[in-house]
Amino acid sequence: MNYQNILQEIYQESLVQPKIGNIATYIPELANVHPDKFGISLTTINGDNFGIGDSNERFSIQSVSKALSLTLAFSLYGEEIWKRVGVEPSGSAFNSLVQLEYEKGIPRNPFINAGALVIADMLVSGLKNPKQDFLDFIRTTSGISTINFDEKVAQSEKNTGYRNAALANFLKSFGNIKNDVEEVLDFYFHQCSISMSCHELNHAFFFFANEGLTQKGIQILNQSQIKRMNALMQTCGFYDESGEFTYRVGLPGKSGVGGGIVALMPKQFIVSTWSPRLNSNGNSELGMFALEQLTTKTGLSIF
Amino acid sequence: MNYQNILQEIYQESLVQPKIGNIATYIPELANVHPDKFGISLTTINGDNFGIGDSNERFSIQSVSKALSLTLAFSLYGEEIWKRVGVEPSGSAFNSLVQLEYEKGIPRNPFINAGALVIADMLVSGLKNPKQDFLDFIRTTSGISTINFDEKVAQSEKNTGYRNAALANFLKSFGNIKNDVEEVLDFYFHQCSISMSCHELNHAFFFFANEGLTQKGIQILNQSQIKRMNALMQTCGFYDESGEFTYRVGLPGKSGVGGGIVALMPKQFIVSTWSPRLNSNGNSELGMFALEQLTTKTGLSIF
Amino acid sequence: MNYQNILQEIYQESLVQPKIGNIATYIPELANVHPDKFGISLTTINGDNFGIGDSNERFSIQSVSKALSLTLAFSLYGEEIWKRVGVEPSGSAFNSLVQLEYEKGIPRNPFINAGALVIADMLVSGLKNPKQDFLDFIRTTSGISTINFDEKVAQSEKNTGYRNAALANFLKSFGNIKNDVEEVLDFYFHQCSISMSCHELNHAFFFFANEGLTQKGIQILNQSQIKRMNALMQTCGFYDESGEFTYRVGLPGKSGVGGGIVALMPKQFIVSTWSPRLNSNGNSELGMFALEQLTTKTGLSIF
Amino acid sequence: MNYQNILQEIYQESLVQPKIGNIATYIPELANVHPDKFGISLTTINGDNFGIGDSNERFSIQSVSKALSLTLAFSLYGEEIWKRVGVEPSGSAFNSLVQLEYEKGIPRNPFINAGALVIADMLVSGLKNPKQDFLDFIRTTSGISTINFDEKVAQSEKNTGYRNAALANFLKSFGNIKNDVEEVLDFYFHQCSISMSCHELNHAFFFFANEGLTQKGIQILNQSQIKRMNALMQTCGFYDESGEFTYRVGLPGKSGVGGGIVALMPKQFIVSTWSPRLNSNGNSELGMFALEQLTTKTGLSIF
C-alpha cells in the first residue's frame, strides 16, 4: 500500500472541499488557531511514518486525551472502573446533563465530559502527582519527552468552563466525585490542554494498534484490555456522532474540539488528522472526510 | 368563623395521623430538628392571631423565602424579570437540571431552585448590600426586627450544596447568572437559612393577602402585582406537587424543606404550618393534611 | 359592574391588536373557519347575559369539552379517577408522549390528550350509550337541547388523528385503556367535535361557578368537588401555558384548539371567548388578551 | 482453530451458569418456548459448520430480522434511506417513544423498533408482494427454501402489539410512514415472526462476513455497503446494550427477543446462539456470555 500517495490524494481532495464548520470558541484561547490548518499523519505498525500538511504542528488535543486518561485509569483499576461509569453511547451531546440526572450520576461512558471527569477523579485519587504523572504517562506511550500542558489553554478553560463545573458539582452531589471539585477540574483542564502534533499522536496511540505495546516495547495494557479500549472508542469516541463515524469510516478513534482525530486499524496503522473547523456535533468536518476517504481508498476497515 | 376551635380540631386530628415522611437530611444542620415538631398559626386580615402547637418556635424557612425574594426582585425590576425566568410549572423535581438544558438556561419558574438562583443573581446585582438589604426587607414586611439568618444552616448548605453549585454553574454557562457564582450561592444559602416561626411567617406574608399592604400599611406591591404573585404561588409553589396542593387545598402558598408552609386566602387570612416530615416531593406531609382540613372545614378556598 | 360597557371596551381594543397566530390546521375541517371570527360572552351568577361580536355563532369546542367529560367521569367514579390519571401540570405540549413514558402510562392530568383519552375510556366503560349519554349530559348542564356533534369534524380528526391514535395505543400498552382503542378514539373525536357558541358555553359551565348547580338547579357535583374541578382547570387548563394564563388572567378556565376559552369567577360569572388564531401553545391569542383585559379592568380575579 | 472443541468448551461452561433472566412474554406465543433451550452454531467463511446443543431447532428470530430487512431496503434505495432514519445508537430502550418525539419522527437507527417500522414502510412501498418478496429474499441469502413466517406468532403480536401500533401511528403523524399503518404493522409482525435455527441464521448472514456474497455466490451488497451494514450492527445491534456487547464481545451482530443472536467476524466466520432467557435490556443472557467466551478463547475480534 503506497500510503504517501494516498495521503497526497486525500489531501488534494480535502483542500477543495467547501469550508464548512466553525472553530471552537467556547474556550477563548482555542479561537486563536487559524481555521484552515490541516494535516494528516499515518504510522504503520512497522514504524513507517507518512505525513502531509500541518502534520507536525502541535495543537490542543482536548478530548483526544480522554482515551489516554482512560487507559491509565484502566491500568490502575481494571474493571472496577465500570462501577462508576458506563460503556454505552450516550445518544446526546458531549456535555449534556440530562442523561446524568436520569441515570443517577453514573455517566454513560468515559468519553462524554461527565465520564471523563469521573476518570479524572480516579486519577487524582490514584496518582501521587496527578498532573505530572499523567504527563509522564503520555511521554512514555509516545516516547516524546517534550509533550506538555499548555497553561494558557488550561487557564482559559478554567475561566470559562462553567458547564464542566456544573457537571463536576452535579457528579459530586451524587457522590461520584470523591476529591475536591476544584482539584478534579484543574486536573481535567490540564489534561485537555496538552499540545501534540498529528505525528506525535500516532506515536502516543501506537499501543492501541499494537496489542498494548508501545513502539519501544513497553506493555501498557494486555491484548484483551486493548480490544476493550478500541471497542469503546468505536461506540463512544465521537460524542453523538459515533454511529456516523463508524458507518462512514469504520475504524475506532477519538476526536477533540481542538480539531484533532486519531483513528486506528488494529495491527496495521494509526492515523491522525487535524483541521479545526468543527461540525455541529463538535467533530472535525475535514478530518472525518479525510478518514472516510482513507478507508474507502484502501479498503481497510475493521468491518 | 371560630378559627381557634377549628385549629384545635385540626391539630387533634393531625396528631393521630400516621407519622409519614422523613426530615430533610441533605442539609446536615436541618437533620438536628425533632421530626415531631408541629405548629399551626392563622392570622386574619383584621389582625387577629390564632395558634396552636409549636407555632411560635422558629425553624429554617428554606424555600418559603423564595416568595419573598421574588417579591423584592419584582418590586425592583417589574415584568423585566420574565426575560430570564418563566412562569410555568416545571413538571419535574425542584432541583432538576433536565428542563433547564432543554430550555437553554431559562428556568421554568422562580420557585424551582434554578429560578430562585436567577432571582438571587438579580438581587445581588440590584441591591447595595444584598444579604443585609434582603434581611431588612423581611423585617419590613413582617414588622419583626429580630428575624435573622442562621449562619450554621447557611454554612452547612454551602459545604454540601453541590447540586445548587451545579445549577448555578449551569446557569452561568448559559449567561443567565451575571455575578460571580460563589457570591450568588452565598446569597442564596443565606436567604434560605432565615429562621422564622409560623406566627412570624403570617406577618411577613400579610401583604400577599392584603392587596400589597403590610400590617403597618407599607405598600410592598400594587394590587395587580399581588394578584400575579399569588397566581405564581398557586401554580408553582409546591415543586412538582403544585397541582396536588391546588386540588386538595385550593389556596396559593409556598413550602420549604424545613417543613414550613405558608398559604393564604386573599382578603381573609394567612395560615402557616410547620412539620418537618416531608413527603417524596419535598413538601410537609402533615402541613398539607392540616391545610386540606382547614379549607374543607371552613369551606374557604379561592375556587 | 357595567359588564356590557366593559365587554364593548375590550372588544374595541381587541380589534386593533396585531393579528398574531394561526388557525389550527391539523384537523382539516377546522381550517375552514374564518380566522377573524371573534366573540365574547359573559353570564353572571344571577343569570344576566352580556355578549359582543360572534358570541352566538357555534364553533368546535374541542378540548374545552375535556372539562365536561372529566366532570361526568368524576360524578361517576369520584376520587377513583386519580388512580389512572394525575393532577399535575405537565410541563410539556398537550400531545407529548415523553412524560407518559417516564411515568409508565399514567398521564399527568386529565386535560392533556393522554389524560382525556383515559377519561374517555372511563366513560366508554361507565355509560350505556357513551356518545349519546355524554351529549345528553351537556344538554343537561347547559339546558340547550340542540347542542350536537359535528360529524364532519369528528370524521376529519379520525382520518388524520395519528398522534391521538399513537397516544391511545401507548396507553393501551400500559393497560391504562380498558376498552377497544378504536371505540375510545371514536368517543374522543366525537366529544371534541361538539359545536357550541360562547353564549352556550357559559350556560354549560354555569355550575362550575355556582357551587355545582346548573342554572335550572340541577346538582352536577357538590361544592367540594367543584372546588377541585376549578383547581384543576387553574393549574392544567391551558396545556403548557397554564402558568401564564394564571399569571395574566387569574381565573380557572379551559381552552380548545377551535379557538374557544371558557373561564369563570366562582360565585360571580362565567365568560367565554372565541377567536381561532392560536399562539404557539395552542391557545387563542386574542382570547387570552381579552380575558386579561377583563380581570385587569374589573379587578376581579380569584387571587 | 479447532472450533468444535471451543464450542464444546463454551457449551459446558454455559450450562453451569446461573439461570438468569426471563423469557419474553409480551408476545404471548413466545412464552411457550422452553427457557432452557440453548444452541450455538458457527460457520466459517470456507463453509465449515460447527454446532452444539439446540443449534438446529428453529425459533422466532424477531429483531434479528431487522438486519435483513435493512439490507433489502439498502439494496433498493441506497443512501436515500438515511433521509428517514439515522445511524446513531439510541441511548434508550428499543421501543422508546421519547427520542422520536425530540427528533421529530426520525428514528435514531434502523434497529430500534421505530426505525425498523420506517424500513418496513420502505419495503411495503418498494416491493410488489412485500411479505412474499421479503421471505424470498431470506430464502435467497440463506439458500434454504423452507424458511417461513410463523403465522401464530405474527397473529399473537398483532393482538397485543399496542406499543408498536403507537410507534407506527406516531411516525405516521410525522409523515415518516407513507403507507397504511395497518399494512406496515402486518408486514413488520410477519418479518419478526420468521422461524430459523442457529445453523440457518449463519447461512442467511453469510454474506455479511463474505464481502456481500452469499455462499452460492450471489452478490447481495457490495463491499463498501457491507462494511456499513456491519458498522451499524456494531453500534446499534443490541438496543441500549450495544456498547456493552461491543466491549465484551467485539464483533458486529444482531439480537432478537426470541433469544437469538447472530454475530460475525468479517472474512472469517458467522456465529449464532439461541437461549431464550433475556436480560433487562432484552438481549439473551447466555448468548452474550457464550459469545464473550468465544472471542476471549479464540482471540478473534475486530478490535
PDB file of all heavy atoms in Angstrom, chain B residues 74-101:
ATOM      1  N   PHE B  74     -39.290  41.598  42.051  1.00  0.00           N
ATOM      2  CA  PHE B  74     -40.410  42.105  41.239  1.00  0.00           C
ATOM      3  C   PHE B  74     -40.589  43.609  41.486  1.00  0.00           C
ATOM      4  O   PHE B  74     -40.856  44.376  40.561  1.00  0.00           O
ATOM      5  CB  PHE B  74     -41.679  41.338  41.603  1.00  0.00           C
ATOM      6  CG  PHE B  74     -42.792  41.427  40.596  1.00  0.00           C
ATOM      7  CD1 PHE B  74     -42.539  41.483  39.234  1.00  0.00           C
ATOM      8  CD2 PHE B  74     -44.130  41.442  41.010  1.00  0.00           C
ATOM      9  CE1 PHE B  74     -43.576  41.556  38.303  1.00  0.00           C
ATOM     10  CE2 PHE B  74     -45.169  41.517  40.091  1.00  0.00           C
ATOM     11  CZ  PHE B  74     -44.894  41.580  38.736  1.00  0.00           C
ATOM     12  N   SER B  75     -40.412  44.000  42.751  1.00  0.00           N
ATOM     13  CA  SER B  75     -40.564  45.428  43.056  1.00  0.00           C
ATOM     14  C   SER B  75     -39.421  46.236  42.441  1.00  0.00           C
ATOM     15  O   SER B  75     -39.581  47.411  42.122  1.00  0.00           O
ATOM     16  CB  SER B  75     -40.659  45.643  44.568  1.00  0.00           C
ATOM     17  OG  SER B  75     -39.389  45.480  45.165  1.00  0.00           O
ATOM     18  N   LEU B  76     -38.261  45.593  42.265  1.00  0.00           N
ATOM     19  CA  LEU B  76     -37.116  46.301  41.676  1.00  0.00           C
ATOM     20  C   LEU B  76     -37.168  46.325  40.161  1.00  0.00           C
ATOM     21  O   LEU B  76     -36.842  47.322  39.517  1.00  0.00           O
ATOM     22  CB  LEU B  76     -35.795  45.628  42.087  1.00  0.00           C
ATOM     23  CG  LEU B  76     -35.360  45.727  43.545  1.00  0.00           C
ATOM     24  CD1 LEU B  76     -34.113  44.880  43.783  1.00  0.00           C
ATOM     25  CD2 LEU B  76     -35.077  47.186  43.922  1.00  0.00           C
ATOM     26  N   TYR B  77     -37.545  45.191  39.554  1.00  0.00           N
ATOM     27  CA  TYR B  77     -37.417  45.047  38.102  1.00  0.00           C
ATOM     28  C   TYR B  77     -38.735  44.962  37.348  1.00  0.00           C
ATOM     29  O   TYR B  77     -38.752  45.059  36.125  1.00  0.00           O
ATOM     30  CB  TYR B  77     -36.594  43.800  37.761  1.00  0.00           C
ATOM     31  CG  TYR B  77     -35.174  43.837  38.252  1.00  0.00           C
ATOM     32  CD1 TYR B  77     -34.790  43.206  39.432  1.00  0.00           C
ATOM     33  CD2 TYR B  77     -34.185  44.504  37.519  1.00  0.00           C
ATOM     34  CE1 TYR B  77     -33.480  43.222  39.877  1.00  0.00           C
ATOM     35  CE2 TYR B  77     -32.870  44.533  37.955  1.00  0.00           C
ATOM     36  CZ  TYR B  77     -32.518  43.892  39.132  1.00  0.00           C
ATOM     37  OH  TYR B  77     -31.223  43.914  39.563  1.00  0.00           O
ATOM     38  N   GLY B  78     -39.839  44.718  38.047  1.00  0.00           N
ATOM     39  CA  GLY B  78     -41.119  44.576  37.354  1.00  0.00           C
ATOM     40  C   GLY B  78     -41.105  43.417  36.372  1.00  0.00           C
ATOM     41  O   GLY B  78     -40.411  42.423  36.580  1.00  0.00           O
ATOM     42  N   GLU B  79     -41.834  43.570  35.288  1.00  0.00           N
ATOM     43  CA  GLU B  79     -42.031  42.468  34.331  1.00  0.00           C
ATOM     44  C   GLU B  79     -40.744  42.074  33.596  1.00  0.00           C
ATOM     45  O   GLU B  79     -40.706  41.053  32.915  1.00  0.00           O
ATOM     46  CB  GLU B  79     -43.127  42.841  33.322  1.00  0.00           C
ATOM     47  CG  GLU B  79     -44.481  43.185  33.933  1.00  0.00           C
ATOM     48  CD  GLU B  79     -45.245  41.954  34.425  1.00  0.00           C
ATOM     49  OE1 GLU B  79     -45.040  40.866  33.871  1.00  0.00           O
ATOM     50  OE2 GLU B  79     -46.033  42.090  35.385  1.00  0.00           O
ATOM     51  N   GLU B  80     -39.692  42.880  33.752  1.00  0.00           N
ATOM     52  CA  GLU B  80     -38.384  42.524  33.162  1.00  0.00           C
ATOM     53  C   GLU B  80     -37.895  41.152  33.627  1.00  0.00           C
ATOM     54  O   GLU B  80     -37.127  40.486  32.943  1.00  0.00           O
ATOM     55  CB  GLU B  80     -37.328  43.560  33.585  1.00  0.00           C
ATOM     56  CG  GLU B  80     -37.435  44.887  32.882  1.00  0.00           C
ATOM     57  CD  GLU B  80     -37.156  44.769  31.412  1.00  0.00           C
ATOM     58  OE1 GLU B  80     -36.041  44.354  31.050  1.00  0.00           O
ATOM     59  OE2 GLU B  80     -38.080  45.058  30.617  1.00  0.00           O
ATOM     60  N   ILE B  81     -38.320  40.793  34.823  1.00  0.00           N
ATOM     61  CA  ILE B  81     -37.918  39.500  35.392  1.00  0.00           C
ATOM     62  C   ILE B  81     -38.144  38.354  34.430  1.00  0.00           C
ATOM     63  O   ILE B  81     -37.328  37.442  34.303  1.00  0.00           O
ATOM     64  CB  ILE B  81     -38.720  39.229  36.696  1.00  0.00           C
ATOM     65  CG1 ILE B  81     -38.212  40.092  37.828  1.00  0.00           C
ATOM     66  CG2 ILE B  81     -38.676  37.772  37.068  1.00  0.00           C
ATOM     67  CD1 ILE B  81     -38.923  39.827  39.150  1.00  0.00           C
ATOM     68  N   TRP B  82     -39.272  38.416  33.726  1.00  0.00           N
ATOM     69  CA  TRP B  82     -39.690  37.265  32.915  1.00  0.00           C
ATOM     70  C   TRP B  82     -38.885  37.077  31.649  1.00  0.00           C
ATOM     71  O   TRP B  82     -39.126  36.154  30.883  1.00  0.00           O
ATOM     72  CB  TRP B  82     -41.201  37.333  32.636  1.00  0.00           C
ATOM     73  CG  TRP B  82     -41.956  37.661  33.889  1.00  0.00           C
ATOM     74  CD1 TRP B  82     -42.773  38.723  34.102  1.00  0.00           C
ATOM     75  CD2 TRP B  82     -41.921  36.935  35.131  1.00  0.00           C
ATOM     76  NE1 TRP B  82     -43.255  38.716  35.387  1.00  0.00           N
ATOM     77  CE2 TRP B  82     -42.750  37.634  36.052  1.00  0.00           C
ATOM     78  CE3 TRP B  82     -41.268  35.771  35.566  1.00  0.00           C
ATOM     79  CZ2 TRP B  82     -42.950  37.203  37.359  1.00  0.00           C
ATOM     80  CZ3 TRP B  82     -41.458  35.348  36.866  1.00  0.00           C
ATOM     81  CH2 TRP B  82     -42.290  36.064  37.744  1.00  0.00           C
ATOM     82  N   LYS B  83     -37.915  37.956  31.426  1.00  0.00           N
ATOM     83  CA  LYS B  83     -36.969  37.686  30.332  1.00  0.00           C
ATOM     84  C   LYS B  83     -35.966  36.611  30.739  1.00  0.00           C
ATOM     85  O   LYS B  83     -35.343  35.994  29.895  1.00  0.00           O
ATOM     86  CB  LYS B  83     -36.216  38.970  29.970  1.00  0.00           C
ATOM     87  CG  LYS B  83     -37.107  40.014  29.331  1.00  0.00           C
ATOM     88  CD  LYS B  83     -36.309  41.236  28.916  1.00  0.00           C
ATOM     89  CE  LYS B  83     -37.258  42.246  28.235  1.00  0.00           C
ATOM     90  NZ  LYS B  83     -36.621  43.573  28.120  1.00  0.00           N
ATOM     91  N   ARG B  84     -35.821  36.415  32.032  1.00  0.00           N
ATOM     92  CA  ARG B  84     -34.779  35.488  32.496  1.00  0.00           C
ATOM     93  C   ARG B  84     -35.318  34.273  33.241  1.00  0.00           C
ATOM     94  O   ARG B  84     -34.556  33.357  33.585  1.00  0.00           O
ATOM     95  CB  ARG B  84     -33.777  36.240  33.378  1.00  0.00           C
ATOM     96  CG  ARG B  84     -32.952  37.253  32.572  1.00  0.00           C
ATOM     97  CD  ARG B  84     -32.046  38.096  33.444  1.00  0.00           C
ATOM     98  NE  ARG B  84     -31.122  37.283  34.214  1.00  0.00           N
ATOM     99  CZ  ARG B  84     -30.329  37.762  35.181  1.00  0.00           C
ATOM    100  NH1 ARG B  84     -30.374  39.054  35.478  1.00  0.00           N
ATOM    101  NH2 ARG B  84     -29.524  36.977  35.832  1.00  0.00           N
ATOM    102  N   VAL B  85     -36.629  34.265  33.491  1.00  0.00           N
ATOM    103  CA  VAL B  85     -37.231  33.117  34.175  1.00  0.00           C
ATOM    104  C   VAL B  85     -38.698  33.044  33.757  1.00  0.00           C
ATOM    105  O   VAL B  85     -39.304  34.086  33.446  1.00  0.00           O
ATOM    106  CB  VAL B  85     -37.054  33.264  35.720  1.00  0.00           C
ATOM    107  CG1 VAL B  85     -37.755  34.489  36.253  1.00  0.00           C
ATOM    108  CG2 VAL B  85     -37.534  32.018  36.453  1.00  0.00           C
ATOM    109  N   GLY B  86     -39.255  31.839  33.676  1.00  0.00           N
ATOM    110  CA  GLY B  86     -40.626  31.666  33.210  1.00  0.00           C
ATOM    111  C   GLY B  86     -41.650  31.660  34.330  1.00  0.00           C
ATOM    112  O   GLY B  86     -41.320  31.909  35.495  1.00  0.00           O
ATOM    113  N   VAL B  87     -42.904  31.393  33.963  1.00  0.00           N
ATOM    114  CA  VAL B  87     -43.986  31.359  34.964  1.00  0.00           C
ATOM    115  C   VAL B  87     -44.756  30.038  34.899  1.00  0.00           C
ATOM    116  O   VAL B  87     -45.888  29.958  35.360  1.00  0.00           O
ATOM    117  CB  VAL B  87     -44.969  32.535  34.775  1.00  0.00           C
ATOM    118  CG1 VAL B  87     -44.276  33.862  34.987  1.00  0.00           C
ATOM    119  CG2 VAL B  87     -45.638  32.497  33.402  1.00  0.00           C
ATOM    120  N   GLU B  88     -44.127  29.010  34.317  1.00  0.00           N
ATOM    121  CA  GLU B  88     -44.841  27.745  34.153  1.00  0.00           C
ATOM    122  C   GLU B  88     -44.411  26.710  35.173  1.00  0.00           C
ATOM    123  O   GLU B  88     -43.224  26.618  35.504  1.00  0.00           O
ATOM    124  CB  GLU B  88     -44.583  27.174  32.750  1.00  0.00           C
ATOM    125  CG  GLU B  88     -45.153  27.986  31.608  1.00  0.00           C
ATOM    126  CD  GLU B  88     -46.663  28.187  31.698  1.00  0.00           C
ATOM    127  OE1 GLU B  88     -47.353  27.268  32.161  1.00  0.00           O
ATOM    128  OE2 GLU B  88     -47.129  29.268  31.313  1.00  0.00           O
ATOM    129  N   PRO B  89     -45.347  25.912  35.653  1.00  0.00           N
ATOM    130  CA  PRO B  89     -44.998  24.766  36.493  1.00  0.00           C
ATOM    131  C   PRO B  89     -43.963  23.914  35.763  1.00  0.00           C
ATOM    132  O   PRO B  89     -43.960  23.845  34.532  1.00  0.00           O
ATOM    133  CB  PRO B  89     -46.313  23.999  36.613  1.00  0.00           C
ATOM    134  CG  PRO B  89     -47.389  24.949  36.228  1.00  0.00           C
ATOM    135  CD  PRO B  89     -46.782  25.979  35.346  1.00  0.00           C
ATOM    136  N   SER B  90     -43.094  23.275  36.536  1.00  0.00           N
ATOM    137  CA  SER B  90     -41.965  22.619  35.879  1.00  0.00           C
ATOM    138  C   SER B  90     -42.228  21.189  35.456  1.00  0.00           C
ATOM    139  O   SER B  90     -41.581  20.687  34.555  1.00  0.00           O
ATOM    140  CB  SER B  90     -40.753  22.646  36.798  1.00  0.00           C
ATOM    141  OG  SER B  90     -40.949  21.753  37.865  1.00  0.00           O
ATOM    142  N   GLY B  91     -43.154  20.519  36.126  1.00  0.00           N
ATOM    143  CA  GLY B  91     -43.326  19.100  35.785  1.00  0.00           C
ATOM    144  C   GLY B  91     -42.129  18.251  36.127  1.00  0.00           C
ATOM    145  O   GLY B  91     -41.952  17.169  35.607  1.00  0.00           O
ATOM    146  N   SER B  92     -41.268  18.740  37.033  1.00  0.00           N
ATOM    147  CA  SER B  92     -40.150  17.895  37.476  1.00  0.00           C
ATOM    148  C   SER B  92     -39.673  18.350  38.852  1.00  0.00           C
ATOM    149  O   SER B  92     -40.195  19.300  39.415  1.00  0.00           O
ATOM    150  CB  SER B  92     -39.009  17.894  36.462  1.00  0.00           C
ATOM    151  OG  SER B  92     -38.814  19.156  35.917  1.00  0.00           O
ATOM    152  N   ALA B  93     -38.693  17.652  39.372  1.00  0.00           N
ATOM    153  CA  ALA B  93     -38.271  17.897  40.753  1.00  0.00           C
ATOM    154  C   ALA B  93     -37.702  19.305  40.918  1.00  0.00           C
ATOM    155  O   ALA B  93     -37.277  19.931  39.960  1.00  0.00           O
ATOM    156  CB  ALA B  93     -37.244  16.856  41.171  1.00  0.00           C
ATOM    157  N   PHE B  94     -37.689  19.763  42.165  1.00  0.00           N
ATOM    158  CA  PHE B  94     -37.298  21.150  42.435  1.00  0.00           C
ATOM    159  C   PHE B  94     -35.868  21.467  42.023  1.00  0.00           C
ATOM    160  O   PHE B  94     -35.537  22.590  41.747  1.00  0.00           O
ATOM    161  CB  PHE B  94     -37.510  21.478  43.920  1.00  0.00           C
ATOM    162  CG  PHE B  94     -36.600  20.755  44.870  1.00  0.00           C
ATOM    163  CD1 PHE B  94     -35.429  21.344  45.306  1.00  0.00           C
ATOM    164  CD2 PHE B  94     -36.923  19.482  45.325  1.00  0.00           C
ATOM    165  CE1 PHE B  94     -34.601  20.676  46.196  1.00  0.00           C
ATOM    166  CE2 PHE B  94     -36.106  18.811  46.208  1.00  0.00           C
ATOM    167  CZ  PHE B  94     -34.934  19.404  46.651  1.00  0.00           C
ATOM    168  N   ASN B  95     -35.022  20.458  41.977  1.00  0.00           N
ATOM    169  CA  ASN B  95     -33.621  20.719  41.673  1.00  0.00           C
ATOM    170  C   ASN B  95     -33.175  20.048  40.375  1.00  0.00           C
ATOM    171  O   ASN B  95     -32.009  19.763  40.169  1.00  0.00           O
ATOM    172  CB  ASN B  95     -32.740  20.278  42.843  1.00  0.00           C
ATOM    173  CG  ASN B  95     -32.998  18.832  43.209  1.00  0.00           C
ATOM    174  OD1 ASN B  95     -33.759  18.147  42.533  1.00  0.00           O
ATOM    175  ND2 ASN B  95     -32.372  18.377  44.258  1.00  0.00           N
ATOM    176  N   SER B  96     -34.116  19.810  39.491  1.00  0.00           N
ATOM    177  CA  SER B  96     -33.808  19.122  38.236  1.00  0.00           C
ATOM    178  C   SER B  96     -33.009  20.009  37.300  1.00  0.00           C
ATOM    179  O   SER B  96     -33.235  21.204  37.192  1.00  0.00           O
ATOM    180  CB  SER B  96     -35.108  18.724  37.553  1.00  0.00           C
ATOM    181  OG  SER B  96     -34.837  18.224  36.267  1.00  0.00           O
ATOM    182  N   LEU B  97     -32.063  19.412  36.598  1.00  0.00           N
ATOM    183  CA  LEU B  97     -31.303  20.159  35.593  1.00  0.00           C
ATOM    184  C   LEU B  97     -31.813  19.883  34.188  1.00  0.00           C
ATOM    185  O   LEU B  97     -31.411  20.539  33.229  1.00  0.00           O
ATOM    186  CB  LEU B  97     -29.813  19.790  35.647  1.00  0.00           C
ATOM    187  CG  LEU B  97     -29.009  20.440  36.775  1.00  0.00           C
ATOM    188  CD1 LEU B  97     -29.013  19.582  38.001  1.00  0.00           C
ATOM    189  CD2 LEU B  97     -27.604  20.727  36.323  1.00  0.00           C
ATOM    190  N   VAL B  98     -32.687  18.903  34.059  1.00  0.00           N
ATOM    191  CA  VAL B  98     -33.086  18.447  32.742  1.00  0.00           C
ATOM    192  C   VAL B  98     -33.768  19.547  31.938  1.00  0.00           C
ATOM    193  O   VAL B  98     -33.341  19.907  30.840  1.00  0.00           O
ATOM    194  CB  VAL B  98     -34.015  17.227  32.850  1.00  0.00           C
ATOM    195  CG1 VAL B  98     -34.650  16.912  31.505  1.00  0.00           C
ATOM    196  CG2 VAL B  98     -33.244  16.022  33.354  1.00  0.00           C
ATOM    197  N   GLN B  99     -34.838  20.090  32.505  1.00  0.00           N
ATOM    198  CA  GLN B  99     -35.613  21.061  31.764  1.00  0.00           C
ATOM    199  C   GLN B  99     -34.761  22.291  31.423  1.00  0.00           C
ATOM    200  O   GLN B  99     -34.878  22.875  30.357  1.00  0.00           O
ATOM    201  CB  GLN B  99     -36.827  21.485  32.582  1.00  0.00           C
ATOM    202  CG  GLN B  99     -38.069  21.545  31.738  1.00  0.00           C
ATOM    203  CD  GLN B  99     -39.311  21.277  32.541  1.00  0.00           C
ATOM    204  OE1 GLN B  99     -39.294  21.250  33.763  1.00  0.00           O
ATOM    205  NE2 GLN B  99     -40.404  21.066  31.849  1.00  0.00           N
ATOM    206  N   LEU B 100     -33.891  22.627  32.352  1.00  0.00           N
ATOM    207  CA  LEU B 100     -33.002  23.760  32.148  1.00  0.00           C
ATOM    208  C   LEU B 100     -32.173  23.577  30.879  1.00  0.00           C
ATOM    209  O   LEU B 100     -31.919  24.533  30.141  1.00  0.00           O
ATOM    210  CB  LEU B 100     -32.076  23.851  33.365  1.00  0.00           C
ATOM    211  CG  LEU B 100     -31.424  25.184  33.653  1.00  0.00           C
ATOM    212  CD1 LEU B 100     -32.455  26.293  33.716  1.00  0.00           C
ATOM    213  CD2 LEU B 100     -30.667  25.103  34.964  1.00  0.00           C
ATOM    214  N   GLU B 101     -31.764  22.353  30.623  1.00  0.00           N
ATOM    215  CA  GLU B 101     -30.951  22.112  29.428  1.00  0.00           C
ATOM    216  C   GLU B 101     -31.805  22.241  28.172  1.00  0.00           C
ATOM    217  O   GLU B 101     -31.421  22.893  27.209  1.00  0.00           O
ATOM    218  CB  GLU B 101     -30.310  20.729  29.504  1.00  0.00           C
ATOM    219  CG  GLU B 101     -29.418  20.441  28.305  1.00  0.00           C
ATOM    220  CD  GLU B 101     -28.459  19.300  28.555  1.00  0.00           C
ATOM    221  OE1 GLU B 101     -28.190  18.972  29.735  1.00  0.00           O
ATOM    222  OE2 GLU B 101     -27.959  18.722  27.575  1.00  0.00           O
TER     223      GLU B 101
END
